[in-house]
Amino acid sequence: MPSSVTALGQARSSGPGMAPSACCCSPAALQRRLPILAWLPSYSLQWLKMDFVAGLSVGLTAIPQALAYAEVAGLPPQYGLYSAFMGCFVYFFLGTSRDVTLGPTAIMSLLVSFYTFHEPAYAVLLAFLSGCIQLAMGVLRLGFLLDFISYPVIKGFTSAAAVTIGFGQIKNLLGLQNIPRPFFLQVYHTFLRIAETRVGDAVLGLVCMLLLLVLKLMRDHVPPVHPEMPPGVRLSRGLVWAATTGETAEGLPPVRIPPFSVTTANGTISFTEMVQDMGAGLAVVPLMGLLESIAVAKAFASQNNYRIDANQELLAIGLTNMLGSLVSSYPVTGSFGRTAVNAQSGVCTPAGGLVTGVLVLLSLDYLTSLFYYIPKSALAAVIIMAVAPLFDTKIFRTLWRVKRLDLLPLCVTFLLCFWEVQYGILAGALVSLLMLLHSAARPETKVSEGPVLVLQPASGLSFPAMEALREEILSRALEVSPPRCLVLECTHVCSIDYTVVLGLGELLQDFQKQGVALAFVGLQVPVLRVLLSADLKGFQYFSTLEEAEKHLRQEPGTQPYNIREDSILDQKVALLKA
């Protein structure tokens, strides 16, 4: 299949790993900031055909999903469409993935519902502020911060979101009225009023869900797209992804600045008060938006053998949200479902997004009157089928089999997200961080008994781990009778800090007082340089474990301590010169 993988890859190959001396105005730098310059010069008619079909397929999916997700966000349905087109145009210029489509998603819609109180003005302002934060992170190249959110935390959040969103649509599927939005109250009142189910709504909703399930099964059994396929066949493959929709207001959105204040019957709510009202949402929404989008981009880049630039993706999504707020968009991110549609439809470049964006604009201007009579039960079916794959049952079994301790942050995040989203994410991230710190503070050590005791830290050695290492060495070598010599095998230690140097100095003194020796083996050059610079008294380094054991046993032919110390001084001079 013809693709833009090579052109996009060439642009990104000079991205994060480019030479520091590269000029900011060089062609490589311009391609890094405007990836369109990498693939547009080689754009072909064949790519145009593939992109057009893919963009049309995504558009037919995006329109009903946008209206459905507006319902999840608690906003009028037109706001879903307002949020569905800006990302298509921005990503055309700035995106580093040919597959990704930006727009409203189930998770973003749930967060918007939680933090904006179902008020459009708050949602639009949140999009603007989220875009500013994301854009700043991209400019400052802070994409690495997302790596501190572990996979179990993300899975716990998305699974809880799937349950919350899916169950929230049961009331519409069954035709129930006056069900409160808070999750636990929603569960209670839904079961309390189950007898009030409207048969017509329930039958229609279930039929729609069955139809969507059949279409999904059809999609899974359609053969892969090839360029030689007739356009009609490729389009029919894309149509398998389309769904039903709901009512919306007519016309294109006005272009205006985001609302920095809101006038109500009780007075004017200032910008400061709006920010305070949104609270933790100003951190959670941009963070989760970035996580979702970059996770989608990385997944499809890996699947289709090309690379993305995470920091460039931050710029793209940040600018999308900032500009989107000018046309009344709420926060958007990369959509896994629509990105899958794009990839399966044979998209070659981000130009496919132009077709999707134009289709959404046309639907706003000309087709909105046709959406009016679609019932809410059909809309609920669309949402439930869209979020069902987000609940990953396999992850629980996988973690139980691979590493059961990772179930802890997953379960903490999953359960607390039903109470408060930010508490769930924060608690899960905190648990993951504590697990990480515990492994750093209490690294596993491998102990080999023999004439000479050998102790090998199984991972790095940093200041939190020094006290635990000291206690183990003392208990095994110095607090026994008689005291024993010890070799510290440091093959896995790639760096040490001053606290570790002080601790090792104290250990050397303790060994000298007991009349036994502590020797070091396998020190990497950076570590050896630090230890030599510290001038530790009695410090002995050997290249191999056999040499250290032979010397400590004082066998014939071994070098005495003073010659070894002279050798260390020679090494010190050479390393310091280096």
Side-chain angles (χ1 to χ4, degrees):
M1 182 180 74
S3 72
S4 55
V5 172
T6 302
L8 288 173
Q10 290 173 348
R12 288 185 289 275
S13 65
S14 59
M18 68 179 296
S21 59
C23 175
C24 63
C25 296
S26 66
L30 288 176
Q31 285 187 0
R32 192 177 75 240
R33 291 305 181 197
L34 286 174
I36 184 177
L37 298 178
W39 56 263
L40 189 60
S42 57
Y43 200 76
S44 66
L45 181 62
Q46 183 63 39
W47 287 3
L48 177 62
K49 293 177 182 178
M50 300 288 284
D51 287 344
F52 178 81
V53 172
L56 189 60
S57 301
V58 174
L60 293 174
T61 305
I63 293 171
Q65 282 194 347
L67 295 167
Y69 291 150
E71 160 68 21
V72 176
L75 301 173
Q78 65 267 23
Y79 282 88
L81 291 177
Y82 294 166
S83 307
F85 63 85
M86 183 58 73
C88 301
F89 301 119
V90 172
Y91 205 79
F92 171 74
F93 294 98
L94 301 180
T96 61
S97 167
R98 71 168 189 258
D99 299 305
V100 166
T101 62
L102 300 181
T105 66
I107 290 177
M108 276 291 101
S109 300
L110 175 66
L111 294 176
V112 168
S113 171
F114 188 81
Y115 291 112
T116 63
F117 324 108
H118 314 142
E119 290 290 340
Y122 278 86
V124 174
L125 180 61
L126 182 58
F128 175 77
L129 296 177
S130 296
C132 291
I133 295 171
Q134 292 163 339
L135 194 61
M137 291 182 67
V139 171
L140 298 175
R141 306 186 70 80
L142 299 178
F144 71 92
L145 294 177
L146 302 177
D147 297 335
F148 287 92
I149 307 296
S150 67
Y151 187 76
V153 173
I154 297 173
K155 277 298 183 181
F157 166 69
T158 54
S159 297
V163 174
T164 302
I165 296 169
F167 196 89
Q169 294 305 310
I170 296 296
K171 62 181 186 296
N172 293 329
L173 191 73
L174 302 180
L176 302 179
Q177 303 293 325
N178 301 319
I179 302 295
R181 281 188 174 267
F183 178 74
F184 293 108
L185 290 177
Q186 199 171 83
V187 173
Y188 174 76
H189 284 278
T190 297
F191 285 106
L192 184 65
R193 301 181 183 180
I194 196 72
E196 301 174 12
T197 297
R198 298 171 62 178
V199 177
D201 284 350
V203 170
L204 178 60
L206 293 175
V207 168
C208 289
M209 290 179 63
L210 181 61
L211 176 61
L212 291 170
L213 181 60
V214 170
L215 292 176
K216 180 182 181 300
L217 294 175
M218 289 174 58
R219 178 205 73 199
D220 293 339
H221 289 84
V222 174
V225 170
H226 298 288
E228 58 271 15
M229 281 185 176
V233 176
R234 297 201 303 269
L235 179 59
S236 65
R237 179 182 176 88
L239 286 173
V240 170
W241 292 79
T244 55
T245 185
E247 62 183 63
T248 183
E250 297 184 13
L252 297 174
V255 178
R256 58 192 175 194
I257 63 173
F260 293 103
S261 63
V262 178
T263 301
T264 66
N266 298 324
T268 300
I269 303 176
S270 66
F271 172 74
T272 303
E273 292 173 324
M274 293 178 72
V275 169
Q276 291 175 346
D277 290 340
M278 288 186 286
L282 293 174
V284 174
V285 170
L287 177 64
M288 296 311 300
L290 295 177
L291 280 173
E292 187 174 3
S293 187
I294 292 180
V296 170
K298 285 184 176 180
F300 282 87
S302 174
Q303 175 181 313
N304 296 318
N305 299 314
Y306 62 89
R307 294 171 50 222
I308 66 161
D309 182 344
N311 287 295
Q312 181 66 22
E313 292 294 303
L314 298 189
L315 295 175
I317 189 173
L319 194 59
T320 293
N321 279 320
M322 285 185 64
L323 296 180
S325 67
L326 302 179
V327 290
S328 301
S329 166
Y330 66 81
V332 301
T333 185
S335 166
F336 189 90
R338 293 192 297 277
T339 297
V341 176
N342 215 19
Q344 292 289 334
S345 300
V347 71
C348 294
T349 73
L354 294 181
V355 180
T356 302
V358 170
L359 192 61
V360 173
L361 290 174
L362 288 175
S363 70
L364 273 168
D365 208 21
Y366 297 108
L367 304 179
T368 50
S369 60
L370 301 179
F371 302 147
Y372 182 82
Y373 299 102
I374 303 299
K376 281 191 173 183
S377 59
L379 199 63
V382 173
I383 298 171
I384 292 172
M385 294 303 295
V387 301
L390 293 178
F391 188 83
D392 188 358
T393 56
K394 294 180 180 178
I395 188 63
F396 293 92
R397 295 196 301 269
T398 300
L399 292 181
W400 181 263
R401 184 177 67 254
V402 175
K403 188 176 181 182
R404 297 178 183 179
L405 189 59
D406 281 341
L407 283 169
L408 182 59
L410 185 146
C411 293
V412 168
T413 305
F414 178 77
L415 294 174
L416 288 183
C417 277
F418 291 117
W419 175 34
E420 296 277 358
V421 172
Q422 69 269 25
Y423 295 157
I425 297 172
L426 182 62
L430 183 60
V431 170
S432 295
L433 181 60
L434 290 175
M435 291 167 55
L436 179 64
L437 292 176
H438 183 269
S439 64
R442 297 294 182 268
E444 295 183 3
T445 54
K446 180 181 178 181
V447 180
S448 299
E449 297 284 350
V452 176
L453 186 65
V454 180
L455 191 146
Q456 180 185 41
S459 59
L461 190 59
S462 56
F463 70 90
M466 190 59 227
E467 187 60 30
L469 179 66
R470 176 184 173 83
E471 290 177 1
E472 182 159 12
I473 290 176
L474 291 177
S475 64
R476 291 182 177 273
L478 299 185
E479 294 177 356
V480 296
S481 183
R484 304 177 63 184
C485 294
L486 183 138
V487 176
L488 191 60
E489 218 286 351
C490 300
T491 303
H492 300 299
V493 179
C494 58
S495 64
I496 58 175
D497 51 51
Y498 185 63
T499 303
V500 174
V501 172
L502 290 179
L504 294 177
E506 292 174 359
L507 281 173
L508 287 171
Q509 293 177 12
D510 292 338
F511 272 79
Q512 288 177 342
K513 291 177 181 177
Q514 296 283 348
V516 289
L518 170 62
F520 296 80
V521 170
L523 291 172
Q524 299 183 30
V525 173
V527 178
L528 182 57
R529 181 181 288 113
V530 172
L531 292 175
L532 293 175
S533 302
D535 289 321
L536 299 179
K537 185 178 180 181
F539 174 68
Q540 300 177 88
Y541 165 71
F542 297 87
S543 299
T544 65
L545 181 61
E546 292 76 14
E547 182 183 358
E549 291 180 336
K550 186 178 180 181
H551 177 73
L552 294 180
R553 289 197 301 266
Q554 290 293 295
E555 294 182 1
T558 58
Q559 297 174 327
Y561 283 101
N562 60 335
I563 296 178
R564 176 59 55 185
E565 290 170 353
D566 292 340
S567 176
I568 289 295
L569 290 175
D570 293 338
Q571 293 182 44
K572 175 179 178 180
V573 172
L575 285 170
L576 292 180
K577 286 181 178 180

